[in-house]
Amino acid sequence: MPEPLEQLRVTLKQRGQSFTKARQIIFAALQDKEPQTMHEIILACRGKVDRASVYRSIAVFEQIGIIQRLQIGWKYKLELSDSFHNHHHHLTCNNCGKTTRLPEDEQLERRLDGLARSQNFVMQGHQLEIQGRCQDCS
Amino acid sequence: MPEPLEQLRVTLKQRGQSFTKARQIIFAALQDKEPQTMHEIILACRGKVDRASVYRSIAVFEQIGIIQRLQIGWKYKLELSDSFHNHHHHLTCNNCGKTTRLPEDEQLERRLDGLARSQNFVMQGHQLEIQGRCQDCS
DNA sequence: CTGCTTGCAAATCTTTTGCATTGAA
DNA sequence: TTCAATGCAAAAGATTTGCAAGCAG
């Protein structure tokens, strides 16, 4: 079995969830992709997995940390979480709408952790989106 | 006229928008509040402004920068934008769901600007949410 | 086998639209 | 007066649910 699928299987098992055909298809639709809307994922699974099942599986994936939900512009989008590809943030162009990754920044991460601590808050995760103009549009 | 309402009036005028009764009511529902869901805003305006008008006015407010939309946990929420209260970010407790403000952090802001620049990206805005456990819940 | 998942259809909830009326300038 | 904004009702879109049948363990 390809290695990422194996990781999916293990993660599901650990949380007492089944490793089903539908979930493998949905997972595949998310792999190596920029964040997608629910609509896009449903389309990607068209004919293979029912709309309702996509919603149900996505909910499971989110609960057990396989995927994460982001706000990109107006609507939320979904992508595999940090365990399945490196932690990162996004740049969104207000003009062309393109979303690109920001390289990981150790200093930024440390700063965020410090800020949370200063509020007696235990940071478990965070999301950052920078909006503006990409090189092509400015 | 109270000063924030006056600012609303001026902002609307500048963009060629009308300063109407409904918009004042919706604006009032957002003032001095933590970010709210659309549903909460509609409830706050119940009997005074129709659902459809709330959606329409919120869209106008967002277009002209009076409010901003944030991802807080699963759903988006809305709050007045930085021109109407200081720029800030949020901490969201994964346990009790409470959202609190993070004090402004000059160093963080500079870091974000630098990151955007390093990608040849002109930053126009950004959103940050830190998730974790608040003091009470940890 | 046995219970968790799925597909399908229907129910709900959220957001948008058409249109006649009202209100701001 | 004049056109944009509003309320209301209905349409469209997104998400959830009930239930019988199918599949994983």
Side-chain angles (χ1 to χ4, degrees):
Chain A
M1 184 178 317
E3 128 77 60
L5 262 193
E6 176 59 18
Q7 190 187 347
L8 172 65
R9 192 181 65 70
V10 171
T11 310
L12 285 168
K13 298 282 80 174
Q14 280 177 341
R15 301 301 221 88
Q17 294 287 335
S18 313
F19 177 61
T20 69
K21 192 77 183 304
R23 289 175 185 175
Q24 291 176 53
I25 293 169
I26 296 166
F27 179 80
L30 289 162
Q31 268 194 286
D32 306 317
K33 292 280 192 351
E34 286 304 302
Q36 297 174 77
T37 60
M38 194 54 99
H39 187 65
E40 291 167 330
I41 299 169
I42 289 169
L43 280 184
C45 296
R46 180 178 36 186
K48 287 174 287 190
V49 186
D50 185 75
R51 208 159 72 257
S53 302
V54 173
Y55 276 104
R56 285 188 279 228
S57 295
I58 289 290
V60 169
F61 283 5
E62 194 174 29
Q63 278 163 27
I64 67 182
I66 290 174
I67 61 171
Q68 60 187 88
R69 186 174 289 239
L70 321 166
Q71 180 74 11
I72 299 283
W74 267 71
K75 3 193 58 172
Y76 71 78
K77 295 195 181 183
L78 303 157
E79 68 173 0
L80 292 180
S81 65
D82 302 340
S83 334
F84 288 82
H85 62 194
N86 291 331
H87 176 69
H88 63 275
H89 297 295
H90 293 100
L91 289 168
T92 303
C93 178
N94 283 335
N95 190 234
C96 67
K98 203 169 51 179
T99 299
T100 50
R101 286 194 191 194
L102 206 48
E104 174 146 16
D105 186 79
E106 195 32 60
Q107 188 179 335
L108 171 65
E109 302 296 318
R110 257 183 284 119
R111 185 86 199 141
L112 295 180
D113 196 56
L115 275 173
R117 279 178 207 288
S118 74
Q119 305 296 304
N120 296 306
F121 196 90
V122 181
M123 180 165 85
Q124 297 176 327
H126 59 265
Q127 285 185 31
L128 169 67
E129 182 196 359
I130 294 184
Q131 302 128 339
R133 293 273 168 162
C134 69
Q135 187 161 22
D136 297 343
C137 294
S138 61
Chain B
M1 180 177 321
E3 127 80 60
L5 262 192
E6 177 60 16
Q7 190 187 348
L8 172 66
R9 194 181 65 70
V10 170
T11 309
L12 286 168
K13 299 281 81 176
Q14 279 177 340
R15 301 301 223 87
Q17 294 287 335
S18 314
F19 178 61
T20 68
K21 193 77 182 306
R23 290 174 184 176
Q24 292 176 53
I25 293 169
I26 296 166
F27 179 80
L30 288 162
Q31 266 193 288
D32 306 315
K33 292 279 192 352
E34 286 303 304
Q36 296 174 77
T37 60
M38 194 54 100
H39 185 65
E40 290 167 332
I41 298 169
I42 289 169
L43 280 184
C45 297
R46 180 177 35 187
K48 287 174 286 189
V49 185
D50 184 74
R51 209 158 73 259
S53 302
V54 174
Y55 276 103
R56 284 188 280 230
S57 295
I58 289 290
V60 169
F61 284 5
E62 195 174 28
Q63 279 163 28
I64 67 182
I66 290 174
I67 62 172
Q68 59 188 89
R69 184 175 290 239
L70 321 166
Q71 179 73 13
I72 299 282
W74 267 71
K75 3 192 58 172
Y76 69 78
K77 295 195 180 182
L78 303 157
E79 68 172 359
L80 292 180
S81 65
D82 302 341
S83 335
F84 288 82
H85 63 193
N86 292 332
H87 175 69
H88 63 276
H89 297 295
H90 293 99
L91 289 168
T92 303
C93 178
N94 283 336
N95 189 234
C96 67
K98 202 169 53 180
T99 298
T100 50
R101 287 194 191 195
L102 208 47
E104 175 145 16
D105 185 79
E106 196 31 62
Q107 188 180 335
L108 171 65
E109 302 295 318
R110 259 183 283 119
R111 186 86 199 141
L112 294 181
D113 197 56
L115 274 174
R117 278 178 208 288
S118 73
Q119 306 296 304
N120 296 306
F121 196 89
V122 181
M123 181 165 85
Q124 296 176 329
H126 60 264
Q127 284 186 29
L128 169 67
E129 181 198 0
I130 294 183
Q131 302 127 337
R133 293 273 167 161
C134 69
Q135 187 161 23
D136 297 343
C137 294
S138 61

